[in-house]
Amino acid sequence: MSSRAFARIAVAGLIAATGLSVAAGPASAHPTSHKPATVPVRLVSINDFHGNLEPPTGSSGAIVNEAGVSVPAGGAAYLATHLKSLVNKNSAVVAAGDLIGASPLISAAYHDEPTVELLGKLGLSVSSVGNHEFDEGLTELKRIQNGGCHPTDGCSPAGEWKGADYKYLAANVLKENSGRYALPPVAIKKINGVRVGFIGLVTQTTPSIVTASGIAGLKFAEEVESGNRAAKLLRLAGVKAIVALVHEGDQITPGQSPDACPVTPGAGTRIAQGLSPDVDLVVMGHSHQAYICKTEDPAGQDRVYTQGSSFGRVLTTIDFQVDRRTGDVVRSSVVADNHVVTRDVTPDPEITQFVQTWKDRVSTVANKPIGKITADVTRAAGPSGETALGDLIADAQLEATKTGGNAEIALMNPGGVRADLTYAQSGSEGDGVVTYGEAFTVQPFNNLMQVVTLTGAQLDALLEQQWQSGGIVRVLQPSASLTYTMSPSQPVGSRVSNIKINGTPVTDAQQIRVAANNFLVGGGDGFTVFKQGTNLWSGPLDIDAFVAYLGAHSPAAPPALNRITLAS
């Protein structure tokens, strides 16, 4: 037996061992005269759904369409209707991660089983993992994949969980102790009679944006190198049409058509340009943006890379031809299009009923009023990056950690604020009323509140970490007790000054009790100075702190954006 034949058998064994099927036989090597030379294939992709079974609200529930107009978008029943209009016998539905995690209560209350079941109903066949797939750890992700009831909370009202109808892929997630794949790296699907290989990749920054317990025992390797190894596996299995599903992406210039390419080159572009020429196209996620872009692979061939926004607001179609003789994608045939999931269509009746069933199941908890607000409290940022909702959450966290933790200030990561609080009623609760479900949608992570002691010098260094590599700026949202001046035009390391706590200037040697969620305290989002903190104290869950604050300070008004002063 030749070494190449042995390698192909070994690869087939690897794929079979991970529970994936390998379609028998390549595409016909000698097309007959009555068959066309190529075969059409369509992929329909989604990314960053985050359990949004119901239509998302606020700024998360709208998107700019091809005409440059912001329109309401998203919702599982509308998604199903649009999807049915886009799929055909040549199609497969694929995804690029973060389908679950950071979800509204309707899904999160049942560990996202409702969302995974929905995606099965919609025909999803394969997805990369996203960083949020690891929110509850690898063991829980495997339970979601394979079935079984939750070990602590037991079975949901639907009964024993049967597992996902689609496969999660992760070619760059390895077990630290063995270096073996934690999940299948690749999958091979037969679409319209031809074999297409899929590679799953997740951002290598996952350890810095997921709690330590979620990624314990795992290594997240660099994406391009890992993707290229996976492409070799598929080539050894005789597969030449290869698609990378990558949970990483770029930022864009806001307000552009979802079919444009206004990206600021970042990690997504790096991956799209760096992957092996064996990879024909790249489907992306993570940055919650919509774009259709084209670049060149290392061999100088055109390669399309796409992303479809978030929360089910966009579906991406990618059409291409596969050469019957070679089994490879004809690169010049690749055409991608982002379709806005508008709400001007008839919602799918089956999915409407499915969502309503889960809404009814969680309604007792979700519809409970917890407080009131006087106006919209949103994530809209002022010139300094401060937001009213971020400030409100920080105030809640400070109040919840003063007793026991002796907190003096609180800081909230902006990425942990997932939705706006709107004054207009979303159901029958009345204007200004905030329900538990709405509060949970704002803060869905169930992070633990913690307090550590930092010196004044360390607090200054922590605030300087708001400016990060790659031009990323993450402005920590401060409680009312903390004020300072921000000077973005100054060199990094010299952009924060005039730090005060309750109006008193902070000294370098001063000991300060700082409250934050356990994700930040663990160094998440690049705020590694938190790990220098001492005298750790743990308190309530962040959602409980938020609920208690809204109840005690009802009606709550949007805080003024005056805690961070922007230097002129």
Side-chain angles (χ1 to χ4, degrees):
M1 180 183 296
S2 70
S3 60
R4 184 171 180 82
F6 180 82
R8 289 183 64 175
I9 292 172
V11 171
L14 168 64
I15 297 173
T18 58
L20 300 171
S21 60
V22 181
S28 173
H30 303 287
T32 58
S33 58
H34 64 276
K35 290 184 177 180
T38 61
V39 175
V41 171
R42 165 172 283 193
L43 302 181
V44 184
S45 69
I46 187 173
N47 59 274
D48 296 272
F49 185 63
H50 289 292
N52 276 264
L53 302 181
E54 296 183 272
T57 59
S59 60
S60 298
I63 192 168
V64 173
N65 65 13
E66 292 85 346
V69 178
S70 180
V71 296
Y78 298 105
L79 182 72
T81 296
H82 282 274
L83 187 61
K84 285 181 178 179
S85 73
L86 296 174
V87 298
N88 54 44
K89 66 181 181 66
N90 308 331
S91 303
V93 182
V94 302
D98 272 12
L99 304 177
I100 59 176
S103 303
L105 188 64
I106 187 176
S107 183
Y110 306 107
H111 300 278
D112 280 314
E113 291 174 19
T115 291
V116 177
E117 183 179 355
L118 166 81
L119 294 168
K121 289 179 178 291
L122 298 184
L124 180 62
S125 60
V126 63
S127 177
S128 67
V129 294
N131 52 285
H132 281 290
E133 264 78 17
F134 293 96
D135 281 350
E136 296 188 53
L138 179 62
T139 299
E140 170 64 5
L141 178 56
K142 287 188 172 182
R143 183 190 74 83
I144 289 294
Q145 177 75 89
N146 300 321
C149 295
H150 191 273
T152 301
D153 296 335
C155 295
S156 80
E160 183 172 356
W161 174 239
K162 295 179 174 58
D165 290 333
Y166 58 92
K167 293 293 182 183
Y168 274 119
L169 306 179
N172 66 324
V173 183
L174 309 173
K175 295 182 179 179
E176 279 185 334
N177 56 354
S178 66
R180 295 180 177 178
Y181 290 117
L183 293 162
V186 297
I188 301 172
K189 300 293 178 181
K190 201 167 189 179
I191 309 171
N192 198 20
V194 296
R195 294 193 302 166
V196 180
F198 294 92
I199 299 167
L201 296 166
V202 62
T203 174
Q204 65 179 320
T205 67
T206 295
S208 70
I209 53 178
V210 173
T211 55
S213 61
I215 48 87
L218 298 177
K219 175 185 177 182
F220 291 78
E222 194 275 327
E223 305 95 345
V224 172
E225 182 180 352
S226 300
N228 291 347
R229 282 199 301 269
K232 288 180 180 178
L233 291 177
L234 290 169
R235 293 283 294 195
L236 286 171
V239 178
K240 296 183 178 179
I242 299 175
V243 178
L245 306 173
V246 183
H247 191 71
E248 182 59 281
D250 290 332
Q251 298 299 320
I252 66 169
T253 303
Q256 306 297 304
S257 164
D259 295 326
C261 183
V263 301
T264 301
T269 298
R270 172 182 61 81
I271 295 167
Q273 293 174 341
L275 284 169
S276 160
D278 291 336
V279 177
D280 295 294
L281 58 99
V282 183
V283 178
M284 295 191 152
H286 188 52
S287 58
H288 292 201
Q289 307 297 336
Y291 52 78
I292 304 292
C293 292
K294 185 183 290 185
T295 188
E296 289 187 352
D297 69 19
Q301 305 174 91
D302 283 344
R303 179 153 62 200
V304 170
Y305 62 107
T306 71
Q307 188 176 169
S309 186
S310 60
F311 309 141
R313 293 177 292 175
V314 169
L315 286 166
T316 306
T317 57
I318 308 173
D319 293 288
F320 54 90
Q321 300 286 326
V322 176
D323 188 296
R324 286 184 185 274
R325 181 180 62 83
T326 65
D328 206 349
V329 172
V330 179
R331 292 285 184 94
S332 61
S333 70
V334 179
V335 177
D337 189 14
N338 273 334
H339 301 262
V340 174
V341 178
T342 59
R343 300 179 195 165
D344 57 358
V345 299
T346 301
D348 182 273
E350 178 189 354
I351 301 304
T352 298
Q353 183 56 53
F354 175 83
V355 173
Q356 186 62 48
T357 296
W358 286 103
K359 188 175 179 179
D360 291 343
R361 286 168 173 166
V362 79
S363 62
T364 301
V365 175
N367 295 335
K368 181 181 178 182
I370 60 169
K372 291 184 176 182
I373 53 178
T374 63
D376 290 349
V377 189
T378 75
R379 295 165 294 163
S384 68
E386 188 180 351
T387 73
L389 188 50
D391 285 357
L392 186 68
I393 291 171
D395 289 344
Q397 294 181 346
L398 177 60
E399 185 161 304
T401 53
K402 280 182 177 179
T403 301
N406 299 315
E408 299 169 80
I409 63 172
L411 294 166
M412 176 62 192
N413 55 310
V417 187
R418 307 299 291 193
D420 299 333
L421 283 180
T422 54
Y423 180 80
Q425 65 180 6
S426 58
S428 59
E429 74 275 15
D431 290 345
V433 175
V434 179
T435 65
Y436 183 86
E438 290 168 337
F440 189 91
T441 300
V442 171
Q443 283 213 276
F445 295 105
N446 278 322
N447 283 325
L448 196 66
M449 289 309 306
Q450 295 185 317
V451 182
V452 293
T453 298
L454 296 177
T455 65
Q458 288 170 332
L459 175 60
D460 180 59
L462 177 72
L463 295 174
E464 292 286 353
Q465 288 187 319
Q466 294 174 118
W467 293 272
Q468 301 176 354
S469 61
I472 295 172
V473 181
R474 291 188 172 99
V475 177
L476 293 171
Q477 304 298 297
S479 60
S481 55
L482 173 65
T483 59
Y484 66 91
T485 298
M486 174 189 289
S487 304
S489 63
Q490 294 300 310
V492 174
S494 302
R495 294 180 173 177
V496 172
S497 62
N498 199 30
I499 302 173
K500 295 180 180 180
I501 295 178
N502 295 317
T504 302
V506 169
T507 64
D508 283 351
Q510 184 175 340
Q511 301 284 299
I512 306 164
R513 295 291 283 165
V514 183
N517 59 53
N518 61 300
F519 167 69
L520 275 178
V521 172
D525 270 350
F527 291 100
T528 56
V529 172
F530 261 120
K531 293 164 58 172
Q532 301 173 19
T534 58
N535 300 319
L536 176 68
W537 176 89
S538 296
L541 294 176
D542 54 4
I543 180 62
D544 293 341
F546 192 41
V547 169
Y549 187 85
L550 288 173
H553 297 272
S554 181
L561 304 183
N562 58 5
R563 302 173 186 184
I564 305 173
T565 300
L566 196 62
S568 57

